[in-house]
Amino acid sequence: MTQTLEPRVSEAETEPDAPTFGHFIGGEWRASGSGRTFESRDPADTRRVIGHFQAGDAADVAEAVRAAEQALPAWRATPAPKRGEILYRFGALMAQHKERLARAMTSEMGKVLAESRGDVQEGIDIAYLMAGEGRRMFGDTVPSELPDKWAMSIRQPIGVAGLITPWNFPMAIPCWKMMPALVTGNTVVLKPASDTPHCAVLLVELIHEAGFPPGTVNLVTGSGEEVGIPIVESPDVPVISFTGSNETGKRIAAIAARRLKRLSLELGGKNGIVVMDDADLDLAVDGIVWSAFGTTGQRCTACSRVIVLEPTADALLARLVEKTATLSLGPGSDPATDVGPLINAAAVEKVERYAGLARDEARIVIGGSPVNDRPGLEHGHFFEPTIVDGVRPMDRLGQDEIFGPLLSIIRVPDYDAAVTALNQTRYGLSSSIYTRDTNTAFRAMRDFETGIVYVNAGTIGAETHLPFGGWKGTGNGHREAGHAALDTYTEWKSIYVDYSGRLQRAQIDNQIDDQADEQDDDGRGAR
Ligand code: UN1
């Protein structure tokens, strides 16, 4: 069934009847073949329905993949600078609609408005960066080892890119994936998280308005099982980029491996901040609180461990508790709010489980409970910002990604113990050190086993023109953002042009070695 639905920009706050949104396939808004829909609700007040979205399935995915395949020849043949211009227009449209997009994001995902604006801005930044790549997209031109021979490498698109994105950066991350995929000449099937389909619909409306040809970007909403897995399984989707949990990442990797697909995984983190004795404690407290409780701890880069040298630990903890006590919990749309809701009920239960563990095995110094009895918060997924002292590096609290506002304090005797604790995790996304000593800072830059290291700043706030991604279990070696993102979406092609007019043999005809000279001296001739 391909009933066309007009996209309707929702003002969910004011609209009593929540609108219904379509998949976007081949340049048209469509209902799912099954006719089923699902709801998205405001996590700050779950009585409020943001909209009804198509519950896609394998048949919808197949249609989207076909549309993306059909759009591919013309799109890859479009000169990259021209593709870049359309990306630029998309970035400009996002900038023009920044406030509307940010408000819709806060309604659907819950993060505070200033952070939603930041999320949109991150989308704009990557659109502009990748628009520039349309005129750059460097390969190498290098000298050949043989005379009269040209050697160079170029990037070429892979094909249809399947992009599976999370709810925590519901606009930035789809843009991180779509922009490099598109500028390099791939077409896209996007499957956004089921908690934030509206954010994806709003982005795709602007994609359409910016002038991407029909079929270049296709959106299929629905569950991971019914939409995500069929995308990964499709033999016609040769490149997959996924951001989400380790569990799902491993499952995707197993499927992708069977088909030898290009796969970029951006998975969990257990990011730590090391605080040395010589640190500026006020600065450290600001960075820790922002990194641990900003976005309600729901960033891959969020700080969930503070590794502090014992002599400084009590002073740091006292200041952390003091600052955390001032944080105001509430809906992200309220300008007074510092910490918004968690995304859904399952997230609250998960943080609650870890708070239970903290009660048994360590010491909760502030917070520790869900909040559902305060006026205005009864219908949302709120949880108190929580700090737990006395955590040991190998405790579950010190090891598991919690993805909520729960911060563990780990006390260590010295720098070496801090490095060991920091690195003793299966993840390796972001890390930070607070110190006034340049030597210690440089040692940390060398010793921390993470894809991102901050000095005298928290663990969050990566900028889009540097590679983003992690070591070890955080991913599979790929990077998003920066030039590095292009590697996910392109095949390298090395090209040799021999204009000598004769057979030239690499590694053979260019050898001038002692043996050859000796043979010449013997009069037997080397050539
Ligand atoms: C994420 O949480 O997956 O560095 C992305 C940051 C943001 C991106 C986070 N710029 O915190």
Side-chain angles (χ1 to χ4, degrees):
M1 182 175 121
T2 53
Q3 170 200 337
T4 302
L5 301 180
E6 280 307 309
R8 292 171 58 192
V9 173
S10 120
E11 288 299 334
E13 298 94 320
T14 54
E15 223 174 70
D17 300 318
T20 300
F21 299 92
H23 298 312
F24 188 68
I25 299 177
E28 285 177 1
W29 294 94
R30 297 185 189 178
S32 59
S34 71
R36 286 180 297 128
T37 59
F38 66 99
E39 285 173 356
S40 172
R41 287 174 181 261
D42 179 347
D45 183 346
T46 55
R47 293 169 304 178
R48 189 187 289 153
V49 177
I50 304 290
H52 304 277
F53 297 85
Q54 303 306 309
D57 59 19
D60 299 317
V61 169
E63 281 197 37
V65 172
R66 205 169 312 126
E69 277 190 301
Q70 279 165 3
L72 191 58
W75 183 243
R76 68 187 298 161
T78 304
K82 273 266 160 270
R83 296 196 295 253
E85 280 170 28
I86 305 178
L87 265 77
Y88 185 86
R89 277 209 292 281
F90 170 70
L93 280 169
M94 278 188 88
Q96 186 188 327
H97 292 279
K98 183 170 172 179
E99 193 57 25
R100 176 173 70 84
L101 296 174
R103 285 181 183 276
M105 188 186 307
T106 290
S107 288
E108 188 176 44
M109 185 274 166
K111 64 174 81 174
V112 299
L113 198 49
E115 291 189 34
S116 290
R117 293 187 188 115
D119 191 316
V120 177
Q121 187 58 47
E122 209 160 333
I124 298 167
D125 293 345
I126 195 81
Y128 287 164
L129 176 73
M130 289 296 154
E133 284 301 330
R135 287 192 180 268
R136 211 166 23 230
M137 217 179 286
F138 296 131
D140 295 324
T141 304
V142 293
S144 165
E145 65 187 41
L146 291 164
D148 299 331
K149 190 178 170 193
W150 186 264
M152 64 185 173
S153 62
I154 61 168
R155 292 180 183 275
Q156 292 202 309
I158 301 178
V160 177
L163 311 180
I164 304 174
T165 55
W167 47 264
N168 70 331
F169 276 79
M171 293 197 188
I173 293 181
C175 291
W176 281 11
K177 296 187 193 301
M178 283 195 290
M179 295 300 110
L182 290 167
V183 78
T184 49
N186 302 276
T187 56
V188 162
V189 175
L190 170 66
K191 185 267 184 251
S194 343
D195 282 307
T196 51
H198 188 222
C199 289
V201 164
L202 296 179
L203 276 186
V204 169
E205 285 176 10
L206 296 185
I207 284 278
H208 186 51
E209 199 178 331
F212 286 97
T216 314
V217 173
N218 305 277
L219 169 75
V220 183
T221 52
S223 71
E225 211 54 56
E226 288 186 285
V227 178
I229 295 299
I231 291 175
V232 181
E233 276 174 346
S234 169
D236 302 316
V237 180
V239 48
I240 302 287
S241 179
F242 169 75
T243 299
S245 73
N246 273 57
E247 202 186 358
T248 308
K250 283 181 190 163
R251 188 165 162 215
I252 289 176
I255 301 169
R258 281 204 296 278
R259 294 194 182 273
L260 295 178
K261 291 190 184 202
R262 181 76 55 88
L263 172 66
S264 167
L265 295 173
E266 196 57 63
L267 308 173
K270 190 68 188 174
N271 313 295
I273 294 182
V274 171
V275 182
M276 300 297 293
D277 285 342
D278 63 354
D280 175 338
L281 284 194
D282 289 331
L283 189 66
V285 165
D286 284 348
I288 292 165
V289 169
W290 168 230
S291 302
F293 303 129
T295 329
T296 322
Q298 301 173 108
R299 295 194 188 211
C300 307
T301 49
C303 170
S304 62
R305 301 182 296 157
V306 165
I307 299 162
V308 55
L309 267 54
E310 182 62 65
T312 305
D314 287 339
L316 179 75
L317 191 56
R319 291 191 207 196
L320 278 176
V321 169
E322 194 185 326
K323 173 124 187 154
T324 302
T326 68
L327 296 177
S328 133
L329 207 60
S333 53
D334 180 346
T337 296
D338 298 301
V339 179
L342 286 163
I343 188 68
N344 54 33
V348 176
E349 278 164 29
K350 183 175 180 189
V351 182
E352 229 177 330
R353 270 202 311 280
Y354 281 97
L357 212 59
R359 233 165 257 125
D360 295 344
E361 297 180 0
R363 190 169 66 91
I364 295 178
V365 286
I366 186 168
S369 304
V371 180
N372 36 32
D373 49 0
R374 280 187 220 159
L377 306 189
E378 313 92 315
H379 301 287
H381 303 300
F382 293 95
F383 201 98
E384 293 171 333
T386 301
I387 300 179
V388 184
D389 190 18
V391 175
R392 289 160 308 174
M394 297 311 286
D395 289 347
R396 282 192 59 198
L397 284 165
Q399 289 292 318
D400 296 358
E401 184 179 51
I402 300 169
F403 227 64
L406 194 154
L407 176 68
S408 294
I409 309 291
I410 297 171
R411 297 168 181 243
V412 291
D414 54 26
Y415 172 79
D416 287 341
V419 172
T420 303
L422 185 95
N423 290 339
Q424 229 169 27
T425 125
R426 73 191 87 117
Y427 300 112
L429 182 54
S430 184
S431 60
S432 138
I433 186 161
Y434 280 87
T435 178
R436 288 192 172 100
D437 184 330
T438 314
N439 295 349
T440 309
F442 270 83
R443 280 183 196 118
M445 284 152 60
R446 179 195 61 199
D447 296 339
F448 289 7
E449 294 171 355
T450 55
I452 304 168
V453 176
Y454 290 91
V455 176
N456 291 329
T459 52
I460 66 178
E463 302 178 28
T464 58
H465 45 298
L466 269 84
F468 181 94
W471 293 24
K472 301 188 276 188
T474 289
N476 61 342
H478 284 277
R479 291 291 183 270
E480 303 204 270
H483 305 301
L486 302 181
D487 291 337
T488 297
Y489 301 102
T490 52
E491 289 286 7
W492 277 115
K493 187 178 276 178
S494 297
I495 302 174
Y496 303 96
V497 182
D498 191 320
Y499 55 97
S500 70
R502 61 182 189 279
L503 174 67
Q504 298 200 87
R505 300 173 303 174
Q507 294 94 39
I508 297 171
D509 291 340
N510 62 331
Q511 298 304 301
I512 304 171
D513 55 29
D514 294 346
Q515 203 189 352
D517 290 346
E518 275 166 29
Q519 285 179 338
D520 268 349
D521 293 346
D522 290 349
R524 278 185 269 130
R527 297 189 177 83

